[in-house]
């Protein structure tokens, strides 16, 4: 595996990603030899202890404060117990059986490689792994600055960010969009100001683990009054087996700014569980708005979901200032186990939190997902729309908390949880927690469970539509309210994913 | 002959409902099936359209030279059998546009015609909607969700117009309709009457027939056709009710 | 590194004291007990309780039910105090019932109706009698309903004093409602009550149970377990009125087993106690079972009221309906926790659960947790929860019709709270309960 940093010389004129890949392949011909030697991966021996945490930090040339943060988290993690309250069954994880650092072997390469690793020098590391490029291309991820795409991409392959596009355009607006590792070096004040403020290192078991061994991730800062003209996006791909991925993403929208951020995930076929424990912190200041969209399609494992991704993620945002707004939209179709509750702390008066989710489980997948809406400020409002689809022998759980604190005068929440069961071997569950401590608050929760009606199927078939098409049409209709919140291409991708994921579940 | 029903017996959940139906329809003809509640009218429509809960135990149905009972519901639809539902089904989140485009292209594909893209489809749909005095907004709304009774029926007629079927089965389409909605249905049917399209109108009441004027009227009772005649039979039923017919049948 | 075995539960010193206090109580009870089987039963419960202990707020099901205050008072078993007819009279309802009275947890023959003249097919005994005569003894103690899973169920098995055993023979239809009145008369006294109600096939009964305090000063602890069996085609209408004074503590657990085509309807009205928790566990194991669970609770002052239901659909064509309402004033805390569980075998289940809460004060608080756990695909299940205050729009509407603001508020609150009672078919019973609720609301 190789760290790839695309420089502008590769990417000025290409019109399609495939052409671009070919070009990259040609350019890299003479690196072929070196390429193969450098695919050797430097991976720490399996296991986790304090010296591993120190070594990770050292490898990344991190400043002392970052190391301190890691060590503090690690010490706390050691006192914690793996949570098993989610409605998911899995063998307890042997944390000593994972490797916590995996990066290019640097034995043969020079200083430049290290420099590249710390994110300071991009020009020296022009190697690209064609397989990596191909992988991203086939995933439809534009990893080059081709000037055409209306999107900026940070592509992360296993533990490292391989390219971040459109940075210069964004820089002109004062927007910082870079990998987390780079941000630690280049914007230490900002990182220090915000890291751990929304998700403290002791928040939960997996957040503590992430804080100790964080690999890479994305850092976004949008300055006051700036409306980010393009979508920012991170694409995560796990490739290496038995390596945990622990990315850390921080997104800050300063006063009056706006940004739409997208995140896509995938992983190849492996026969052992891969661990993914990410932490995302979002800070939304006064009058700012953040739209955070995720299409998660991690490898779900084989037919019995053996070897799929264990996806234990802590995502949380704070609407810090007045009139701020944070909107989470997610389409979750992958992973063997998903444990994820993107949350909003509505601190600023009149702030708004939204959570739109489609979670589909098939085979033996287990998803336990939902949100937390913590109302603190006056007239804060939140909306939760959750659509759960269960097929095969899977279990799909919505778990959510709506908490209205005494200070949240005039708070409003509306929650709608709909579940659809496809087949009679799966489960659909709804576990909402509603805590109201202010009488002026209005909290409404509704949940339904249904299946595709025989009469609906017959109606479609009577109009000439095949059963499979009818099912996919009805399922997409069921998810419509959520998909309409996703950016267009993402919505299409989500619909296609749904169709693929449902394959073989009915018929 | 378009449809030839021969000694058709059918049951649902082990309960025998149709007990030997014989009926022939020629292209362009409009037949009405009338009968009291529980006579098997809706079962007949369901069996012809291919609902799987109904089990045919005896008899045959030839449609356009083929064995209709061998086909599944979508195959029948693609060959031109259209069922107007007594209660059109709601499909939340699926727009009428997507639904009809998918259906129309499936039917066109079966006829060997190329599919219509979004623009062509919209044009064709707009024309039909104009004819039916439907608001174009209806195309954007979810299939039958939040539609009034009249809107649902109009939507069914619109689908019929789009799919250009050969055999239209109207399954008590008139139940629960006010006079305006009834007229919509009747006008729609009349507009779509043609020498190569047949109608089988299943109804309890004669009032829809006043507008449509069928060529033939059949009275269904206890799973059998007990009397057939022209439009005057419907008028006779309106005046005298079903009882005297049933009585005469039982005495015979 | 991380350990994966279950952490050993840590009990606070207060909880430990309470646990050893109740263990001493059971030891004393066992010492005076001669029946070998009963001794074994209590010992087993006692051992189980030693492991189980009192729940803490870290237990998922006790997150919202604080036990601190309860654990600080040790409730004794001291026997029956003297009461007179005058004391009992006020608790009689204004309609005809078969009345059974329990004083401080023990059946009182003196205050109860004559049990020797019961209609055919109906048998009523106190648990003490049932145990003395060894009738249905094994049946009484053997249970498969998971009582021991609940700490207060285990505590009940350890310490129960008395209760009622009601049995209806096949097709026995009892028109006259049975009313059990449980009066607590002594301070810091535990009334541990164990009831069993069995309806054979085709039987029908209306059972009313009320929990009351003799005066407003005492602080006593009612711990009730009621086991109910409703056989094929049988119908049981049940009402539990919890009208203790505002210092006492109430824990009620009901385990209900239903057979084919049976109907079970239960209404809980919560008015009293500083801390109360009423819980139904329903198992609908055969086809075509119907159940209704409703509750109306009004809490004010510092009261904590917890209502919970656990409904398991285990067979085809089950239907369950629930409506739970909480009105909270002052510093009161209300909790609703409901679970509808639909097993894979329970196709065509129709389950509906609604929880509505009204907050009248800015210091009141409500926690609601309506849950669905569903494994069958052809089901219709829904739940809803709404919390808020009276809508200004409604108040304005009434005022526009000439009603003053206070009356308007009261009217709306009343209407809100009385809705769950609407499904009580016996009009006098419904009126009686409505009056109790309104009395507290308007006080």
């Amino acid at each position: 595996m190789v760290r790839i940093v695309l420089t502008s010389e590769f990417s000025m004129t290409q019109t399609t990603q495939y052409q671009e890949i070919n070009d990259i392949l040609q350019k890299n011909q003479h690196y072929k030899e070196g390429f193969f030697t450098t695919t050797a991966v430097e991976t720490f021996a399996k296991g986790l202890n304090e010296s591993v945490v120190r070594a990770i930090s050292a490898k990344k040339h991190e400043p002392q404060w970052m190391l301190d943060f890691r060590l503090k988290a690690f010490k706390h993690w050691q006192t914690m117990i793996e949570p098993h309250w989610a409605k998911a069954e899995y063998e307890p994880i042997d944390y000593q059986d994972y490797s916590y650092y995996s990066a290019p072997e640097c034995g043969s390469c020079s200083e430049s490689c290290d420099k590249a690793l710390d994110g300071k020098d991009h020009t020296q590391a022009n190697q690209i792994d064609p397989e990596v490029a191909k992988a991203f291309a086939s995933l439809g991820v534009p990893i080059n600055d081709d000037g055409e795409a209306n999107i900026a991409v940070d592509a992360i392959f296993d533990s490292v960010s391989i390219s971040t596009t459109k940075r210069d355009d964004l820089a002109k607006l004062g927007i910082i969009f870079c990998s987390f590792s780079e941000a630690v070096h280049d914007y230490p004040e900002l990182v220090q100001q915000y890291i751990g403020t929304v998700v403290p290192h002791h928040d939960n078991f997996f957040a503590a683990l992430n804080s100790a061994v964080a690999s890479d991730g994305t850092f976004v800062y949008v300055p006051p009054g700036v409306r980010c003209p393009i979508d920012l996006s991170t694409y995560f791909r796990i490739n290496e087996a038995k390596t945990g991925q622990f990315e850390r993403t921080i997104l800050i929208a300063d006063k009056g700014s706006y940004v739409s951020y997208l995140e896509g995930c995938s992983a190849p076929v492996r026969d052992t569980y891969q661990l993914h424990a990410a932490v995302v912190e979002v800070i939304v200041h006064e009058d700012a708005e953040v739209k955070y969209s995720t299409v998660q399609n991690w490898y779900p494992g084989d037919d019995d979901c053996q070897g799929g991704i264990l996806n234990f993620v802590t995502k949380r945002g704070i609407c810090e200032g007045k009139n701020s707004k944070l909107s989470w939209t997610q389409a979750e179709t992958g992973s063997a186990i998903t444990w994820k509750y993107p949350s909003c702390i509505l601190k600023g008066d009149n702030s708004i939190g939204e959570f739109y989710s489609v979670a589909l489980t098939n085979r033996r997948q287990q998803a336990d997902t939902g949100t937390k809406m913590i109302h603190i400020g006056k007239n804060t409002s939140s909306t939760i729309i959750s659509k759960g689809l269960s097929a095969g022998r899977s279990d799909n759980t919505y778990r959510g908390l709506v908490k209205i604190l005494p200070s949240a005068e005039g708070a409003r929440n509306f929650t709608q949880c709909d579940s659809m069961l496809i087949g009679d071997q799966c489960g659909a569950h709804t576990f909402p927690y509603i805590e109201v401590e202010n009488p002026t608050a209005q909290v409404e929760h509704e949940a339904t469970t249904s299946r595709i009606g025989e009469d609906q199927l017959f109606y479609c078939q009577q109009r000439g539509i095949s059963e499979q098409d009818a099912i996919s049409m009805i399922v997409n209709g069921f998810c419509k309210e959520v998909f309409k919140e996703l950016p267009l291409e993402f919505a299409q991708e989500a619909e296609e994913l749904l169709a693929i994921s449902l394959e073989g579940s009915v018929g | 002959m378009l449809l030839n029903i021969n000694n058709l017996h059918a049951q649902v959940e082990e309960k025998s409902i149709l007990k030997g139906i014989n009926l022939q329809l020629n292209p362009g003809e409009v037949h009405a099936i009338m009968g009291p509640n529980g006579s098997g009218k809706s079962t007949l429509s369901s069996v012809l359209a291919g609902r799987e809960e109904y089990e045919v135990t005896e008899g045959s149905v030839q449609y356009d030279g083929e064995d209709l009972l061998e086909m599944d519901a979508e195959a029948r639809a693609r060959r031109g059998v259209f069922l107007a539902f007594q209660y059109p089904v709601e499909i939340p989140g699926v727009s009428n546009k997507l639904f009809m485009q998918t259906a129309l292209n499936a039917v066109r594909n079966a006829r060997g015609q190329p599919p219509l893209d979004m623009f062509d489809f919209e044009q064709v749909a707009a024309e039909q909607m104009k004819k039916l005095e439907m608001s174009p907004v209806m195309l954007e709304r979810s299939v039958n969700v939040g539609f009034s009774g009249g809107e649902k029926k109009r939507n069914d007629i619109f689908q019929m117009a789009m799919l250009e079927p050969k055999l239209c089965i109207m399954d008590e389409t008139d139940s629960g309709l006010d006079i305006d909605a009834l007229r919509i249905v009747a006008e729609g049917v009349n507009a779509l009457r043609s020498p190569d399209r047949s109608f089988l109108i299943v109804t309890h009441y004669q009032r829809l027939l006043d507008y449509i004027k069928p060529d033939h009227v059949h009275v269904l009772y206890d799973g059998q056709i007990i009397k057939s005649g022209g439009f005057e039979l419907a008028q006779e039923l309106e005046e005298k009710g079903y009882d005297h017919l049933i009585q005469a049948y039982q005495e015979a | 590194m991380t350990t994966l075995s279950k952490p050993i539960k840590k009990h606070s010193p207060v909880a430990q004291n309470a646990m050893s206090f109740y263990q001493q109580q059971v030891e004393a009870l066992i010492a005076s007990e001669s029946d070998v089987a009963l001794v074994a039963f209590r010992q087993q419960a006692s051992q189980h309780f030693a492991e189980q202990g009192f729940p803490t707020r870290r237990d998922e099901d006790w997150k919202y039910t604080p036990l601190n205050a309860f654990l600080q008072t040790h409730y004794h078993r001291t026997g029956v105090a003297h009461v007179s007819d005058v004391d009992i009279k006020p608790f009689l309802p204004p309609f005809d019932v078969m009345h059974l009275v329990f004083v401080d947890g023990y059946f009182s023959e003196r205050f109860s109706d004559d049990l020797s003249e019961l209609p055919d097919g109906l048998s009523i005994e106190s648990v003490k009698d049932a145990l003395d005569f060894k009738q249905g003894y094994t049946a009484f103690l053997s249970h498969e309903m998971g009582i021991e899973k609940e700490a207060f169920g285990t505590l009940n098995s350890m310490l129960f004093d008395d209760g009622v055993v009601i049995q209806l023979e096949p097709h026995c239809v009892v028109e006259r409602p049975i009313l059990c009145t449980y009066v607590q008369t002594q301070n810091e006294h535990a009334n541990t009550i164990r009831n069993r109600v069995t309806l054979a096939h085709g039987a029908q009964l209306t059972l009313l149970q009320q929990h009351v305090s003799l005066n407003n000063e005492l602080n006593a602890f009612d711990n009730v377990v009621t086991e109910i069996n409703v056989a094929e085609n049988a119908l049981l209408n049940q009402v539990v009125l919890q009208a203790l004074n505002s210092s006492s503590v109430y824990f009620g657990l009901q385990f209900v087993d239903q057979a084919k085509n049976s109907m079970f309807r239960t209404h809980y009205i919560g008015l009293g106690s500083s801390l109360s928790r009423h819980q139904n566990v329903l198992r609908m194991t055969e086809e075509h079972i119907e159940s209704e669970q409703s509750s109306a609770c009004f809490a004010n002052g510092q009261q904590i009221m917890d209502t919970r239901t656990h409904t398991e659909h285990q067979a085809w064509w089950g239907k369950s309906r629930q409506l739970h309402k909480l009105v909270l004033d002052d510093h009161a805390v209300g909790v609703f926790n409901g679970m509808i569980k639909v097993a894979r075998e329970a196709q065509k289940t129709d389950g509906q659960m609604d929880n509505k809460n009204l907050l009248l004060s800015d210091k009141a608080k409500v926690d609601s947790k309506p849950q669905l756990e569903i494994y069958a695909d052809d089901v219709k299940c829904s739940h809803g929860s709404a919390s808020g205050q009276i809508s200004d729009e409604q108040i304005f509407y009434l005022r526009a019709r000439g009603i003053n603001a206070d009356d308007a508020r009261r009217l709306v609150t009343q209407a809100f709270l009385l809705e769950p009672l609407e499904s009580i078919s016996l009009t006098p019973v419904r009126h009686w309960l409505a009056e109790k609720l309104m009395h507290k609301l308007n006080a």
Side-chain angles (χ1 to χ4, degrees), chain A residues 48 74 77-78 80-82 87 92-93 95-96 205 395 401 421-451, chain C residues 1-5 7 60 63-64 339 344 347-348 359-391:
Chain A
L48 182 55
F74 181 70
W77 181 75
Q78 285 178 301
M80 299 174 97
I81 293 164
E82 186 180 279
K87 206 170 164 39
I93 298 165
Y95 293 90
Q96 300 305 331
F205 184 81
D395 272 296
L401 169 69
L421 290 109
I422 301 167
D424 59 1
Q425 296 296 311
C426 49
H429 320 300
T430 317
F431 302 145
Y433 296 65
I434 301 152
E435 304 178 10
V436 184
E437 297 184 47
N438 186 307
T440 61
Q442 262 183 35
V443 179
E444 273 178 75
H445 172 100
E446 284 170 26
T448 64
T449 299
S450 61
R451 66 164 183 175
Chain C
M1 205 56 4
T2 51
T3 53
L4 297 159
S5 57
E60 182 64 19
K63 196 170 141 83
Y64 300 122
M339 163 70 94
R344 194 139 286 154
Q347 294 291 5
K348 303 279 179 199
L359 280 82
L360 302 179
S361 123
D362 56 3
K363 294 282 184 284
K365 185 179 169 212
V366 67
D367 299 310
S368 168
K369 204 177 147 196
Q371 306 168 87
L372 299 173
E373 193 174 329
I374 294 171
Y375 297 95
D377 63 334
D378 191 7
V379 300
K380 241 173 40 197
C381 282
S382 66
H383 67 218
S385 168
S387 302
Q389 59 184 0
I390 301 171
S391 93

Side-chain angles (χ1 to χ4, degrees), chain B residues 41-60:
Chain B
K41 298 189 302 289
S42 272
T43 301
L44 179 60
S45 328
S46 296
V47 168
L48 292 178
R51 262 195 214 274
E52 279 166 9
E53 310 89 279
Y54 295 85
E55 192 192 343
V56 173
T57 51
E58 213 183 317
S60 66

Side-chain angles (χ1 to χ4, degrees), chain C residues 84-366:
Chain C
S84 67
D85 283 346
V86 194
D87 296 324
I88 302 299
K89 251 216 163 99
F91 303 121
L92 269 171
F95 52 88
D96 185 34
V97 291
M98 252 179 277
H99 199 200
L100 309 171
V101 179
F102 293 78
V103 178
D104 294 326
Y106 291 91
F107 178 66
S108 163
E109 214 174 320
R110 190 182 138 205
F111 297 118
S112 300
D113 290 351
D114 187 355
L115 296 186
S116 60
E117 288 174 31
L118 295 175
D120 282 351
L122 170 67
S123 118
I124 303 176
E125 285 174 301
S126 77
V127 167
K128 270 242 164 295
D129 288 343
L131 292 178
D132 284 349
F133 292 111
K134 304 281 179 293
Q135 271 186 1
Y137 177 84
T138 331
F140 184 80
L141 292 182
S142 71
H143 53 79
E144 293 156 11
M145 298 196 195
I147 293 173
E148 71 289 342
K149 285 185 195 149
E150 299 289 336
F152 283 85
T154 312
L155 196 63
N156 187 289
S157 294
M158 273 162 67
L159 294 167
F160 72 86
D161 298 308
D162 208 343
V164 68
V165 180
I166 300 175
Q167 292 177 59
L168 272 74
E169 285 175 16
H171 304 292
C172 169
V173 176
V174 181
E175 299 284 353
R176 218 168 142 212
I178 296 176
L179 169 66
C180 299
T181 300
Y182 304 95
V183 195
Q184 37 171 248
T185 73
Q186 301 175 69
N187 193 37
E188 299 193 354
H189 189 270
N191 312 304
T192 311
I193 299 150
R194 183 82 154 219
N195 303 312
R196 183 181 270 266
V197 180
T198 310
L199 272 68
H201 60 91
Q204 293 184 17
L205 175 70
T206 299
L207 174 65
L208 316 174
Q209 290 159 284
Q210 61 170 331
H211 293 263
V212 292
S213 314
L214 194 62
N215 59 54
N216 281 331
E217 284 71 47
L218 61 89
N219 163 9
F221 164 37
D222 278 18
N223 179 2
V224 200
V225 168
T226 303
E227 291 174 85
I228 296 172
N229 280 284
V230 188
E232 209 172 314
N233 291 311
L235 162 68
L236 177 61
N237 286 313
Q238 187 207 25
V239 171
V240 178
L241 169 65
Q242 187 271 104
L244 298 174
N245 67 22
S246 59
S247 316
S248 292
V249 176
Y250 168 85
F251 281 91
L253 274 168
Q254 309 211 95
F255 296 87
V256 185
D257 228 337
Q258 280 185 264
K260 212 191 267 180
N261 296 313
S262 67
M263 168 81 190
F264 171 65
R265 190 181 283 130
T266 185
H267 287 81
Y268 173 69
I269 287 85
L271 297 172
S273 297
S274 57
L275 169 67
S276 61
R277 179 166 158 129
H278 184 77
Q279 180 172 2
N280 296 328
V281 179
L282 262 63
R283 289 201 317 189
M284 300 164 73
T285 50
E286 293 178 36
E287 291 175 12
H288 288 287
I289 289 174
E290 213 176 305
S291 71
E292 184 197 326
Q293 303 169 77
S294 294
S295 66
C297 297
F298 174 48
N300 57 10
Q302 307 277 345
Q303 287 184 301
I304 300 163
M305 285 194 189
D306 184 344
T307 310
R308 45 189 69 218
T309 64
H310 179 101
T311 311
E312 277 187 33
H313 285 271
Q314 297 178 352
W316 278 66
W317 304 106
K319 180 177 171 185
S320 62
R321 288 286 175 273
Q322 298 185 50
L323 175 62
H324 303 278
K325 289 198 165 184
L326 279 157
V327 174
L328 304 155
D329 204 351
D330 305 327
H331 288 76
V333 176
V335 181
F336 171 74
N337 186 319
M339 163 70 94
I340 299 179
K341 213 168 178 167
V342 181
R344 194 139 286 154
E345 301 73 38
Q347 294 291 5
K348 303 279 179 199
T349 290
D350 176 357
Q352 212 175 299
M353 171 163 69
D354 271 299
N355 165 230
K356 290 185 176 142
N357 310 307
L358 197 57
L359 280 82
L360 302 179
S361 123
D362 56 3
K363 294 282 184 284
K365 185 179 169 212
V366 67

